[in-house]
Amino acid sequence: MKNSVGREIPRELIEQGWQPYQGKDAYNGTEFQKVGPKIKVADQGSEEKVLNSIEEAIRACGLKDGMTLSFHHHFRDGDYIVETVMREIVRLGFRDMKLACSSIGSAAPIVADCIETGVVTGLTTSGIRDRIGEAVSHGKLKDIAILRTHGGRIRAIEQGKIHIDVAFVGAPSCDAYGNASGKGGKSNCGSLSYAEIDVMYADQVVVITDTLVPFPNKPSHIEGIYVDYVVEVNEIGNPKKIASAAARMTTNPKDLMIAEDCVRVMRALPYFVDGFSFQTGVGGPSIATTIFLREHLKELGIKIGWIVGGVSTHMVNLMKEGLVGCIADVQDFDLGAIESLGTDPRHFDISVSEYANPFNKGAFINKLDFVILSALEIDTDFNVNVLTGSDGVLRGAAGGHPDTAACAKCCIIVTPLVRGRIPTVCDRVVTVTTAGDSIDVLVTDHGIAVNPLRQDLIKHLNAAGIEHVDIHTLRDKAYSIVGQPDDIQFEDRVVAIVEARDGTVMDVVRQVKPFSISED
Amino acid sequence: MKNSVGREIPRELIEQGWQPYQGKDAYNGTEFQKVGPKIKVADQGSEEKVLNSIEEAIRACGLKDGMTLSFHHHFRDGDYIVETVMREIVRLGFRDMKLACSSIGSAAPIVADCIETGVVTGLTTSGIRDRIGEAVSHGKLKDIAILRTHGGRIRAIEQGKIHIDVAFVGAPSCDAYGNASGKGGKSNCGSLSYAEIDVMYADQVVVITDTLVPFPNKPSHIEGIYVDYVVEVNEIGNPKKIASAAARMTTNPKDLMIAEDCVRVMRALPYFVDGFSFQTGVGGPSIATTIFLREHLKELGIKIGWIVGGVSTHMVNLMKEGLVGCIADVQDFDLGAIESLGTDPRHFDISVSEYANPFNKGAFINKLDFVILSALEIDTDFNVNVLTGSDGVLRGAAGGHPDTAACAKCCIIVTPLVRGRIPTVCDRVVTVTTAGDSIDVLVTDHGIAVNPLRQDLIKHLNAAGIEHVDIHTLRDKAYSIVGQPDDIQFEDRVVAIVEARDGTVMDVVRQVKPFSISED
């Protein structure tokens, strides 16, 4: 059965109850029943929840083979929690664990080993990279991995599709009763929004901190009423590693050109008025766009009403200059953003449900005017791939990409036309992570294309004299520069499901053929 | 069947599944399953939730006879919401409504009319007063009313015992997407904590505001992700009427004497050390206690670590003087407290689950050192009545009384020995709202008594040379002053269940005999 982006959904999955993706608004107005978590009533006599070690906490939780553990990714490449906890899991001889991560990256190579040895047999995450991505793509994970969007993960937890037995939360500060914050410690990460849903729904919750503070640790992102145990360790992470190289301002002339064109497109549209809302990621052209916006805002004497999502210093600086009303934060990408969160009252955190949950009564992104996003590939139907590399191996993150693209009034993809020997614009992306029905404009270093679904935008660009071409022209140009690559060879076995934000199947990722190992 | 405070629980109730109260720690360590709310997925196309009138909102919610509506009591005697909404309910011809109020008082006399006419047939609340209390006590409500503690209400909602069809929330400021706050408007009430659980669990939520503000209204106590509709009206309430006469500093010499003795008792106990935690209500002796604490704290060079619960200006002043570390607020009792909340970072709000929910992983009150509470009556088993008057008519509020008494290391009841012609200390309270197992010390204007269950406290008072007597001595003294009153005559019919915080039956309230009408 094919879904609405033309991807074949294997019969086995349909038989298991999976539904094919039917378009970005298919679930609108439907009703659903949230599940409720199980609660163990606190022993009134026990005023502290502090245990001496992660091993003690694992034992206190009654951890068993086959259980689902959750982790958050606020420390990104600087995270020590996943590695530390999984080392204990291995040492204590557990098997068949399922991981439910908000995202997982290069900071926890042990997870790749665990997948190889069967200590970890299940995985749901929004991002997957490096050796973990390779292990899954090479068919080492026993279960099919499920790749979810940030909003889709909330929905899945609230629907009971993800049931977390034990949530492990790394928290920069915590009191003995479990009130935990992303600030106030020696290793601050800012927002803890991705961990909030886990603690609310997990059967048991362990907060791991390196800064135990007096009760009550308020304001807290994690409320002690949800926390079973607190463990103090030496270090939970390295905040300096939160900022990736990608988060620095680019000097690449291609990126700067793309960013300038992106801002020209924005300015030509009717949403570019005082108070508009804005989101972007941390890629080179995205950050450059944020910075180039400054002059345009000043020239027109308008300001951005609010920014939502992951936050970088560049956004904070615009706010400090009075060019942004406020920032609704779910994640901090660098030390400047971490410092600003909660210090400036205009910069506050929101829950990930408030940010991007498709199945609530209205997330922030439902009101988003512009989102600027990157792509590994985009095809002539405007379908975007941000998950699999040119070798077919998992090495990206859906994150909030499909969520914000589906909701924003104008979603602009900014990307160079080719990367190395790889065309970005192509006939058919390897993996659809964000459906073409959600993408409005593509800005490359070789021209601009507008989704024909958005004739309204085309009129505005024409009126402003902004040149744009059919996306097929950009594809042809890309192929003329680097040639049309051969199709990647896959085995039949499905190793991962790319779940749309509403829980349907957007695409599947199949096991790569053995020879691709040597390419990597 | 008798419960552990010796009250007979009618067989019909046991047959309906009610359990008798078994002591304050009976549920400790048990597990329970929370229910989940039903969610209608927001129409992405609709960025606003604003309707033109309460009638429109009632129609949009698809209100039907027999549904349960919820209201909060943050505006106390100054609330306009219950009256306004119920007037529409009456006008539109609805019948058989069930009300789930966090508390209800003198501000909504229409509810008493609705009970008489059958527009309202069910009621759960923590407080009940004036004509509404009379209507219930005289058997006018079709169902048995259920009187719940503040913590017990959260538990009941999370367990699915209270299912709210439509929650009406009066909010001093709100944006068009439902992000609502207790501040930022023209009629500020401060905290909105009692409304939070309603919006999280109700099938549909209507926010009523008199100050519509731009999106996003942050910080918000009520998140727009839970809100279906927003209605703007002229006035939601009168904040000046939040403060009752009881909240002013007393000049009554009896009250001052009681307060002085209360502080002497506190100071003699080992909990009275730097950083202790403290809660009190708004009665005369309670407020006087807060004020008298100042000199003792200064003399000893210590400070209160934190205050929790309802907040008055007296507490805020202590914080400003550096004598209180921070205030965890669920309700504001006067304009000074409203002004301070969130303005001073040491004064923040917490959810009512964080405050007093007995069935979570640890509420603030589990860590409470001292709570100072009042009583309408206290008997020789230390059982306290704060619900029914000397005529047997409902005219009080359980509120957080049973919650905090059960949890605090030391619960002190402060009350004059007699009020008018009524003895406060007696053989048997008319209605048990707080079990004697939760009460530690009684301080009256005629002496102090300690619960014999607390031999540890007795030793400390003896060591400090603080005189105290057997509670029977105080009862005898009370009876010698005003005489022993005759037992109140009741009909057989149960009109209200006094539910213990864990969901068991603490007591029942029966219909008063007709002749008592003329006394009232």
Side-chain angles (χ1 to χ4, degrees):
Chain A
M1 190 189 286
K2 280 196 178 167
N3 67 12
S4 74
V5 291
R7 297 289 158 138
E8 186 66 39
I9 309 304
R11 208 184 51 207
E12 314 87 79
L13 295 186
I14 300 292
E15 283 167 5
Q16 287 165 31
W18 289 92
Q19 301 281 326
Y21 176 70
Q22 298 289 359
K24 67 177 180 173
D25 291 327
Y27 57 86
N28 242 353
T30 59
E31 283 193 351
F32 86 102
Q33 180 69 41
K34 280 193 198 178
V35 296
K38 200 170 65 185
I39 294 291
K40 189 173 175 207
V41 177
D43 185 342
Q44 277 183 23
S46 122
E47 282 190 32
E48 295 217 349
K49 302 173 176 179
V50 179
L51 299 179
N52 291 313
S53 67
I54 290 172
E55 177 181 346
E56 258 188 45
I58 288 172
R59 295 197 186 281
C61 289
L63 207 75
K64 289 188 186 64
D65 291 353
M67 278 189 168
T68 297
L69 315 180
S70 88
F71 297 96
H72 69 78
H73 71 291
H74 284 286
F75 272 95
R76 302 176 71 82
D77 287 350
D79 179 71
Y80 299 163
I81 298 293
V82 180
E83 190 79 9
T84 309
V85 171
M86 291 312 294
R87 213 179 292 134
E88 287 300 288
I89 298 284
V90 170
R91 195 177 63 81
L92 295 169
F94 290 102
R95 308 273 307 165
D96 193 25
M97 306 314 295
K98 319 294 182 186
L99 302 193
C101 307
S102 56
S103 194
I104 194 163
S106 60
I110 193 174
V111 173
D113 302 332
C114 288
I115 289 173
E116 302 258 357
T117 56
V119 172
V120 168
T121 55
L123 175 64
T124 178
T125 177
S126 89
I128 181 168
R129 290 184 182 88
D130 297 319
R131 282 187 54 218
I132 302 170
E134 286 166 31
V136 172
S137 274
H138 289 106
K140 307 290 187 186
L141 188 76
K142 189 177 155 226
D143 300 349
I144 297 176
I146 304 178
L147 304 171
R148 292 184 157 105
T149 73
H150 285 328
R153 183 175 190 264
I154 306 289
R155 172 200 50 71
I157 292 173
E158 291 187 346
Q159 283 187 313
K161 308 269 184 187
I162 301 175
H163 175 85
I164 301 168
D165 293 293
V166 184
F168 292 94
V169 177
S173 70
C174 187
D175 65 35
Y177 221 40
N179 295 294
S181 168
K183 299 188 70 169
K186 62 184 183 184
S187 317
N188 294 335
C189 65
S191 168
L192 279 179
S193 295
Y194 287 101
E196 279 177 46
I197 187 80
D198 299 43
V199 304
M200 289 175 76
Y201 276 85
D203 286 340
Q204 300 201 74
V205 175
V206 179
V207 173
I208 303 170
T209 188
D210 52 16
T211 308
L212 209 52
V213 297
F215 178 92
N217 185 28
K218 286 280 177 179
S220 60
H221 303 98
I222 303 297
E223 296 176 5
I225 56 172
Y226 300 117
V227 175
D228 295 273
Y229 305 108
V230 176
V231 177
E232 196 178 15
V233 296
N234 284 334
E235 271 187 307
I236 59 166
N238 180 356
K240 286 183 190 144
K241 285 194 173 173
I242 291 175
S244 58
R248 280 190 284 274
M249 175 57 182
T250 181
T251 53
N252 181 326
K254 274 191 197 177
D255 287 351
L256 297 176
M257 197 171 90
I258 293 167
E260 262 187 291
D261 276 351
C262 176
V263 176
R264 283 174 58 225
V265 168
M266 290 174 67
R267 192 169 161 165
L269 298 181
Y271 317 123
F272 200 79
V273 290
D274 190 46
F276 75 85
S277 52
F278 177 70
Q279 178 172 359
T280 188
V282 284
S286 298
I287 286 184
T289 300
T290 308
I291 291 170
F292 285 152
L293 274 174
R294 173 183 287 109
E295 294 316 314
H296 293 265
L297 297 170
K298 283 186 174 171
E299 186 191 321
L300 294 173
I302 63 173
K303 69 175 187 177
I304 297 173
W306 47 275
I307 282 177
V308 67
V311 179
S312 67
T313 299
H314 313 292
M315 297 166 178
V316 171
N317 288 343
L318 283 187
M319 183 182 72
K320 283 183 184 161
E321 290 174 48
L323 296 173
V324 171
C326 62
I327 298 175
D329 186 331
V330 290
Q331 186 177 6
D332 294 290
F333 286 137
D334 57 39
L335 298 177
I338 293 168
E339 165 57 28
S340 165
L341 173 65
T343 308
D344 188 319
R346 295 169 297 177
H347 181 182
F348 47 82
D349 60 341
I350 59 173
S351 73
V352 178
S353 188
E354 289 182 280
Y355 165 44
N357 184 356
F359 277 24
N360 65 20
K361 295 174 180 176
F364 268 59
I365 59 172
N366 290 15
K367 293 176 72 68
L368 194 54
D369 291 313
F370 291 103
V371 65
I372 316 301
L373 297 169
S374 61
L376 291 171
E377 295 179 297
I378 178 167
D379 67 25
T380 47
D381 291 329
F382 286 84
N383 296 315
V384 169
N385 171 21
V386 288
L387 266 173
T388 47
S390 58
D391 52 2
V393 174
L394 289 159
R395 56 162 53 92
H401 196 291
D403 296 309
T404 53
C407 291
K409 292 196 186 65
C410 179
C411 169
I412 304 177
I413 299 291
V414 286
T415 178
L417 190 69
V418 300
R419 284 194 185 88
R421 294 169 303 130
I422 311 296
T424 305
V425 187
C426 60
D427 281 322
R428 181 185 156 88
V429 293
V430 175
T431 306
V432 181
T433 48
T434 306
D437 64 4
S438 301
I439 307 296
D440 302 307
V441 182
L442 166 65
V443 177
T444 74
D445 49 338
H446 286 81
I448 295 164
V450 184
N451 191 327
L453 293 173
R454 295 302 302 269
Q455 291 297 320
D456 57 330
L457 302 189
I458 289 174
K459 275 185 205 147
H460 289 296
L461 294 198
N462 289 344
I466 294 179
E467 259 187 77
H468 55 97
V469 298
D470 187 288
I471 194 167
H472 295 83
T473 309
L474 293 178
R475 174 208 54 193
D476 294 343
K477 178 81 184 169
Y479 285 174
S480 76
I481 299 172
V482 292
Q484 179 168 359
D486 293 335
D487 281 351
I488 304 167
Q489 299 298 306
F490 289 101
E491 306 279 2
D492 279 347
R493 186 181 170 219
V494 172
V495 295
I497 291 168
V498 181
E499 195 187 80
R501 60 195 304 252
D502 63 0
T504 58
V505 182
M506 184 66 80
D507 205 347
V508 296
V509 178
R510 292 175 193 270
Q511 187 171 335
V512 292
K513 285 241 183 190
F515 68 78
S516 63
I517 296 173
S518 61
E519 284 190 346
D520 202 39
Chain B
M1 190 189 286
K2 280 197 176 165
N3 67 11
S4 74
V5 290
R7 297 290 158 137
E8 186 67 37
I9 310 304
R11 210 185 48 208
E12 314 87 79
L13 296 185
I14 301 293
E15 284 166 3
Q16 287 165 29
W18 289 93
Q19 301 281 325
Y21 176 70
Q22 297 290 356
K24 66 177 177 169
D25 292 327
Y27 56 85
N28 241 354
T30 58
E31 284 191 352
F32 87 103
Q33 181 68 43
K34 280 193 197 177
V35 295
K38 198 170 65 184
I39 294 290
K40 187 171 175 206
V41 177
D43 187 342
Q44 278 182 21
S46 123
E47 282 188 32
E48 293 217 351
K49 302 174 178 179
V50 179
L51 299 179
N52 290 314
S53 66
I54 290 171
E55 178 181 346
E56 258 189 47
I58 288 171
R59 295 199 187 278
C61 290
L63 207 75
K64 289 189 185 65
D65 291 352
M67 279 190 168
T68 298
L69 314 180
S70 88
F71 297 96
H72 69 77
H73 71 291
H74 284 286
F75 272 96
R76 301 176 70 82
D77 286 351
D79 179 71
Y80 298 164
I81 298 293
V82 180
E83 190 78 10
T84 309
V85 172
M86 291 311 296
R87 213 179 293 134
E88 287 300 287
I89 296 285
V90 170
R91 195 176 62 81
L92 296 170
F94 290 101
R95 308 273 306 166
D96 193 23
M97 306 312 296
K98 319 293 182 185
L99 302 192
C101 307
S102 56
S103 195
I104 194 164
S106 59
I110 193 174
V111 173
D113 302 332
C114 288
I115 289 172
E116 303 259 356
T117 57
V119 172
V120 168
T121 54
L123 176 62
T124 178
T125 178
S126 88
I128 182 167
R129 290 184 181 86
D130 297 320
R131 283 187 53 217
I132 302 170
E134 284 165 34
V136 173
S137 275
H138 288 109
K140 307 289 188 187
L141 188 75
K142 189 177 157 226
D143 300 348
I144 298 176
I146 304 178
L147 304 170
R148 292 185 158 103
T149 72
H150 285 329
R153 181 175 191 265
I154 306 288
R155 172 199 50 71
I157 292 172
E158 291 187 345
Q159 283 188 315
K161 308 269 183 184
I162 301 176
H163 175 85
I164 301 168
D165 292 294
V166 184
F168 292 94
V169 177
S173 71
C174 188
D175 65 35
Y177 221 39
N179 295 295
S181 169
K183 300 189 70 170
K186 63 183 182 185
S187 317
N188 294 336
C189 65
S191 169
L192 280 179
S193 295
Y194 285 101
E196 279 178 44
I197 188 81
D198 299 43
V199 304
M200 289 174 76
Y201 276 85
D203 286 342
Q204 300 201 73
V205 175
V206 179
V207 173
I208 302 169
T209 188
D210 53 15
T211 308
L212 209 52
V213 298
F215 177 92
N217 185 29
K218 287 281 180 179
S220 60
H221 302 98
I222 304 298
E223 297 175 6
I225 56 172
Y226 300 117
V227 175
D228 295 273
Y229 304 109
V230 176
V231 177
E232 195 178 17
V233 297
N234 284 334
E235 270 187 307
I236 59 166
N238 181 354
K240 285 182 192 148
K241 286 196 175 172
I242 290 174
S244 58
R248 281 190 282 274
M249 175 57 182
T250 181
T251 52
N252 180 324
K254 274 191 198 177
D255 286 351
L256 298 176
M257 198 172 87
I258 293 167
E260 261 186 293
D261 276 350
C262 176
V263 176
R264 283 175 59 224
V265 168
M266 289 174 68
R267 193 171 161 165
L269 299 180
Y271 318 123
F272 200 80
V273 291
D274 190 46
F276 75 85
S277 53
F278 177 71
Q279 177 171 358
T280 188
V282 283
S286 297
I287 287 183
T289 300
T290 307
I291 292 170
F292 285 150
L293 274 174
R294 174 183 286 110
E295 296 315 315
H296 293 264
L297 296 171
K298 283 187 174 171
E299 187 191 321
L300 294 172
I302 64 173
K303 70 175 187 179
I304 297 173
W306 47 275
I307 282 177
V308 68
V311 179
S312 67
T313 299
H314 313 291
M315 297 167 179
V316 171
N317 289 343
L318 283 187
M319 184 182 72
K320 285 184 182 159
E321 290 174 48
L323 297 172
V324 172
C326 61
I327 298 176
D329 186 330
V330 290
Q331 188 179 4
D332 294 289
F333 286 137
D334 57 38
L335 298 177
I338 293 168
E339 166 57 27
S340 165
L341 173 67
T343 309
D344 189 317
R346 296 169 298 178
H347 181 181
F348 48 81
D349 60 338
I350 58 174
S351 72
V352 179
S353 188
E354 288 182 280
Y355 166 43
N357 184 356
F359 278 23
N360 65 20
K361 295 174 179 176
F364 268 59
I365 59 171
N366 290 14
K367 293 175 73 66
L368 193 54
D369 291 313
F370 292 102
V371 65
I372 315 301
L373 297 167
S374 62
L376 291 171
E377 296 179 296
I378 178 168
D379 67 24
T380 48
D381 291 327
F382 285 84
N383 296 315
V384 169
N385 171 21
V386 288
L387 267 173
T388 46
S390 59
D391 52 2
V393 173
L394 288 159
R395 57 163 51 93
H401 197 291
D403 296 309
T404 54
C407 291
K409 291 195 187 66
C410 179
C411 168
I412 303 177
I413 299 290
V414 286
T415 179
L417 191 68
V418 300
R419 283 193 184 88
R421 293 169 305 129
I422 310 297
T424 306
V425 186
C426 61
D427 280 323
R428 182 185 156 88
V429 292
V430 175
T431 307
V432 181
T433 47
T434 305
D437 64 3
S438 301
I439 307 296
D440 301 307
V441 182
L442 166 65
V443 177
T444 75
D445 49 339
H446 285 81
I448 295 164
V450 185
N451 191 327
L453 293 173
R454 296 300 302 270
Q455 290 297 321
D456 57 329
L457 302 189
I458 289 173
K459 273 185 207 149
H460 288 295
L461 294 199
N462 289 345
I466 293 178
E467 261 188 75
H468 55 97
V469 297
D470 188 288
I471 193 167
H472 296 84
T473 309
L474 294 178
R475 173 208 55 194
D476 294 343
K477 179 79 184 169
Y479 285 174
S480 76
I481 299 171
V482 291
Q484 178 168 1
D486 292 336
D487 281 349
I488 303 168
Q489 298 298 307
F490 291 101
E491 306 279 1
D492 279 346
R493 187 182 169 219
V494 172
V495 295
I497 291 169
V498 180
E499 195 186 80
R501 61 195 303 252
D502 62 1
T504 59
V505 181
M506 184 66 80
D507 206 346
V508 296
V509 179
R510 293 177 191 270
Q511 186 171 333
V512 291
K513 285 239 183 190
F515 67 78
S516 62
I517 295 173
S518 60
E519 285 189 349
D520 200 38

